Amino acid sequence: ADCWVLFVCLTSDLCVTPLGLEGDVDLRFLLVGGELLKVKSSSWKKNRFYKLQEDCTTMWHESHRTFKRNQTCEYDSVRKGRQSEGLQKHTEAHVEDLCFSIIFKGRRRNLDLVAASVEEARQWVNGLEKILSNMKKLNRQQTSEHWIFNCMRKADKNKDNKITLKELKHFLRQINIEVDDMYAEVLFAKCDKSNSGSLEGPEIKHFYDLLIYREEIDVIYGKYATTGEQMSVKNLLNFLLNEQREVASMEDAVRLIERYELDDSAKQKNHMTKDGFLMYLQQEEGSILNPAHKEVFQDMSQPINHYFISSSHNTYLMEDQLKGHSSTEAYIKALMKSCRCVELDCWDGPHGEPIIYHGHTLTSKVLFKDVIKAIKEYAFKTSEYPVILSLENHCTLEQQKLMAQHMISILGSALLTSPLEDQMPTAFPSPQELKGRFIIKGKRLNKLDAVYSNTSPGVEEDCVSEEDEAAETNNSKTDSNGQKKSKIKLAKELSDLVIYCKSVHFSGFEHAKDNQAFYEMSSFKESKAVNLAETAVNAFIHHNMTKLSRIYPAGSRTDSSNYDPVPLWNAGCQIVALNFQTPSKEMDLNQGRFRSNGQSGYVLKPDFQRYPGTEFDPVTLTKGPWLKHKNFHVMVISAQQLPKINKDKCKSIVDPLVKVEIYGVPADTCSKETRSIENNGFNPMWNETFQFDIHVPELALVRFLVEDYDSTSQNDLIGQYCLPLTSLQNGYRQVPLLTKHGDVIPSAGLFVHLMLLDSK
Ligand SMILES: *[C@@H]1O[C@H](CO)[C@@H](O)[C@H](O)[C@H]1NC(C)=O
Ligand SMILES: *[C@@H]1O[C@H](CO)[C@@H](O)[C@H](O)[C@H]1NC(C)=O
Ligand SMILES: *[C@@H]1O[C@H](CO)[C@@H](O)[C@H](O)[C@H]1NC(C)=O
Ligand SMILES: CC(=O)N[C@H]1CO[C@H](CO)[C@@H](O)[C@@H]1O
Ligand SMILES: [Ca+2]
């Protein structure tokens, strides 16, 4: 930390120096703030005062409701113009240039705003965009400084740029650490060199250094820094080889020094100081996730059914299944998380326009064409690989025709309307070949072969049986006198758009083997799929080698909870659709499963789930190439700057503990936990070691969980991180921590030592 930076932070009321935005006019404008028209509906439009908080990450606005506190909230992004659903619906086109929306993290609804002038709208949008882009450029160390400075600024209650003992105690509670008065006094006396009764200037810097001191880093660094108490290139290389178990060369060590050493004189000698070393540990190379796996590194030229595909269920819902609100925003959120299969439940709407919502329930409705527009706009922002639109169609013929028209006109050439091949294919194309394309999954009137034979004109419309999810949620339809399932009429226009993903009824693996073409796929309710994964897992794996399977949550999960996706991935199922809107362990696992391979939403299945005749069975685990027995050693060392989770309660300092969990084949599933540490979320240290036996590493996921220990009720989640076992790096590693919604907690982290070794 630079003393000057710290000084500026405490003396000016703008803590913007770390962001490199000092003196920026747009930013100053936001810090002063102003009135904006908040739009909630066509009738609810009210002027409210908004301003940016001095931490630059939260917005402040006055609440007009009595008994409600003025609100602040952390924002995630900003959208210019009338792009949001609310603004499109509730404002007129001519105010386009006055409008913008602020998007928040988690589930909080967008804030739709109208400025008084075009210039003001521009300043709001520019200012927020600048902060966001500069914030992204900060490294972990800077983020952490930014956070600590903000806490200091808040602690300086009387804004005199000095910190008294009382303010220091307040500050320690701000940063989630509870110390007894004695300790605080000793710490204070140590820093108050001038004996003035308050800390200022360099004394604050000294206090900061004491605060962020990490004993464990000292020990590790000390062991290897044997060249005049610094690390030479050779020392660093030894560390990389012995501790990190990397295949590294002198050039790699030199490169790290060049990149992370901040001290010029050390850099000239090709040395790494302790600060540089800490910097390295907190960056990409020091992170738990193998940097090579942050990019697409797998073969993307295999048929798409050879991949796990990140998939969402009832994508239109923001919350639960019965009264949740549906929104195009839910599609944007899922696609931005690299989801590659979204679901659209389509029903007849007013004015001839098809709409999307959950049939027979109170969920609100969105226009089909608006959803298609949002999908088109956001589909390929985080991954260029194909997106499957899973249609559940309850519309009349007229509106089905309109659905087809909307998709053709809005999605344009990105929509797949015929097979890629010149002749009838016998297997799927690859994600590579389908880059940037939309694939429709739904019912089809005839076989795909009809595309290649001009002989039969084909039926214009016909009945197809409807055994989709919605039919199952309404028992009166399916079970009346044991009669056949209801039928719906399907329009040829819509049917013709279904190429590689034709939905068909599943009548057993034997039947499928003899009758089902590769492009014909079935959907399984979770209970049915879990049953198959338990009783006929090898048949399931074989089925999946040539075909796609989609799994969806039971209709009884009205709260949008999720089922465990792991046994289904073990059985080779590709489209394991989860309720993306629900923070849950299962969504953490989904995020972990798809974290590698560049977060492309496609992960190649292990080869023993792909080659013909495989005898892999995740439960019995007979001998075979899937058995690659490993010992996994994990030492949970320490955590840094854990957030407070209960900001309002007076006793809100956390008592953290760490769980290490393995998910995969049943034999590998296991969980271990450390003791809890009382009253310290700032720099708790455990030094606890665990060992795991792993049989099928290629299917294993590791999840780290930091919780606040609670003796009377369930522990509360502080942060988590999940990744594939085969994507982690050995050695001393920093683990990022995410909220339950999967967003990074910028300043927090977990420090571990890992060793994944072949077992003898
Ligand atoms: C909200 O902010 C206004 C304006 O700064 C202030 O007068 C009011 O006291 C605040 N209310 C609460 C409850 O903090
Ligand atoms: C943890 O290990 C480090 C490094 O060996 C040591 O310096 C530290 O004192 C230990 N801390 C605890 C709480 O055991
Ligand atoms: C099932 O459908 C019928 C007819 O459409 C409807 O009246 C009934 O309320 C539905 N039942 C449930 C449980 O949704
Ligand atoms: C049930 C089924 O479709 N099994 C097939 C799975 O894949 C293998 C290998 O391609 C085929 O031989 C099976 O017939
Ligand atoms: Ca003060």
Side-chain angles (χ1 to χ4, degrees), residues 469-573:
E469 264 178 71
E472 286 171 22
T473 55
N474 193 324
N475 294 330
S476 65
K477 253 185 178 173
T478 47
D479 286 346
S480 58
N481 321 332
Q483 281 204 336
K484 271 210 157 179
K485 287 183 174 164
S486 66
K487 299 234 167 190
I488 61 152
K489 278 205 156 189
L490 180 63
K492 179 169 187 300
E493 289 82 349
L494 193 55
S495 161
D496 282 349
L497 297 179
V498 174
I499 310 296
Y500 292 118
C501 297
K502 174 182 173 182
S503 311
V504 297
H505 181 69
F506 177 73
S507 317
F509 291 125
E510 274 306 310
H511 181 268
K513 192 171 168 184
D514 300 334
N515 300 292
Q516 209 172 311
F518 78 89
Y519 61 87
E520 293 179 314
M521 61 175 286
S522 304
S523 287
F524 303 85
K525 185 160 51 173
E526 57 170 278
S527 51
K528 169 94 178 164
V530 167
N531 189 282
L532 290 173
E534 276 169 10
T535 56
V537 72
N538 193 257
F540 214 166
I541 289 166
H542 280 259
H543 177 79
N544 289 314
M545 247 170 322
T546 49
K547 295 172 194 75
L548 281 168
S549 296
R550 172 174 171 274
I551 321 300
Y552 60 88
S556 57
R557 292 187 185 271
T558 50
D559 56 353
S560 292
S561 59
N562 279 311
Y563 58 95
D564 183 3
V566 174
L568 303 159
W569 288 326
N570 289 345
C573 301

Side-chain angles (χ1 to χ4, degrees), residues 26 74 89:
D26 290 335
E74 215 173 316
K89 237 186 245 172

